[in-house]
Amino acid sequence: DAKTTQPPSMDCAEGRAANLPCNHSTISGNEYVYWYRQIHSQGPQYIIHGLKNNETNEMASLIITEDRKSSTLILPHATLRDTAVYYCIVRVGYGGSQGNLIFGKGTKLSVKP
Amino acid sequence: DTGVSQDPRHKITKRGQNVTFRCDPISEHNRLYWYRQTLGQGPEFLTYFQNEAQLEKSRLLSDRFSAERPKGSFSTLEIQRTEQGDSAMYLCASSLVTGIAGTEYIMNTEAFFGQGTRLTVV
């Protein structure tokens, strides 16, 4: 079963920041938080991941709480092309032979003009 | 372009026929995953390979399904005697695992997905 909880849907105005929350209260010490998104009829696209520290790349920022029980994906200036289903996944990143991603239902983000 | 290629992109088949899909992972990646996705659901894990070894299979992978990765590069997923319930998007992903298996010194990079093969069984 997925180890994360996300709201089923969110709206965001174009040009504004989209903040997508995720709860992962049972996360283990060697599990990373990964975010993927899936635009309609395409394969999931990797966005960002982190272990403890906040991370930023050209697509997004990831804020992880100090207790690691929740995180927020931030799209700083959402565009219409960011409309997609966003998946938050916890996954063993080191110290184990696991690593298959377990997807939940994600958050459907609708960016509106 | 993620670098993971899947072929074909679309397949329509009659119930009872066999189908085979191919996945070419990113060339340096040693781990390969298969997922299935039905409408409105997130991708569901089917199986994964580390090089040519199939290390895990989910309960979703019935005996009509078989996956291979004979040389540790491309992989095939075959469905025998297709049923209408097999209609779905079949996704392939790959990642790189480095280090010593079974120890703390093993790292698994992020997985990159292909565009999927959409199967319709009529």
Side-chain angles (χ1 to χ4, degrees), chain A residues 15-65:
Chain A
R16 304 296 294 268
N19 297 291
L20 292 94
C22 179
N23 287 319
H24 32 80
S25 58
T26 61
I27 192 169
S28 300
N30 65 348
E31 286 182 318
Y32 285 71
V33 180
Y34 282 78
W35 283 84
Y36 283 76
R37 74 179 182 183
Q38 190 172 26
I39 296 169
H40 183 63
S41 294
Q42 297 184 21
Q45 177 189 22
Y46 166 78
I47 301 173
I48 198 168
H49 74 282
L51 184 62
K52 291 187 285 189
N53 299 322
N54 298 338
E55 302 287 345
T56 295
N57 63 19
E58 65 277 6
M59 290 182 68
S61 295
L62 173 60
I63 309 297
I64 302 174
T65 58

Side-chain angles (χ1 to χ4, degrees), chain A residues 60-98:
Chain A
S61 295
L62 173 60
I63 309 297
I64 302 174
T65 58
E66 193 169 342
D67 63 7
R68 302 212 318 127
K69 292 185 177 182
S70 65
S71 60
T72 301
L73 179 74
I74 300 172
L75 308 177
H77 305 286
T79 71
L80 299 179
R81 288 178 295 179
D82 292 322
T83 292
V85 178
Y86 287 77
Y87 296 99
C88 168
I89 301 163
V90 294
R91 173 196 190 219
V92 173
Y94 66 90
S97 62
Q98 298 179 41

Side-chain angles (χ1 to χ4, degrees), chain B residues 18-60:
Chain B
N18 299 344
V19 293
T20 300
F21 312 138
R22 176 181 170 121
C23 171
D24 287 89
I26 293 172
S27 59
E28 61 267 28
H29 283 184
N30 49 18
R31 186 163 287 187
L32 186 147
Y33 310 81
W34 284 100
Y35 285 80
R36 181 178 74 181
Q37 186 174 27
T38 54
L39 201 61
Q41 303 297 315
E44 297 171 294
F45 169 74
L46 292 177
T47 188
Y48 82 86
F49 292 83
Q50 179 69 27
N51 299 311
E52 65 275 8
Q54 190 172 17
L55 295 188
E56 186 174 344
K57 292 192 275 189
S58 106
R59 292 170 296 173
L60 294 175

Side-chain angles (χ1 to χ4, degrees), chain A residues 1-4 102-105:
Chain A
D1 290 335
K3 300 179 181 179
T4 62
I102 306 298
F103 288 81
K105 292 192 175 182

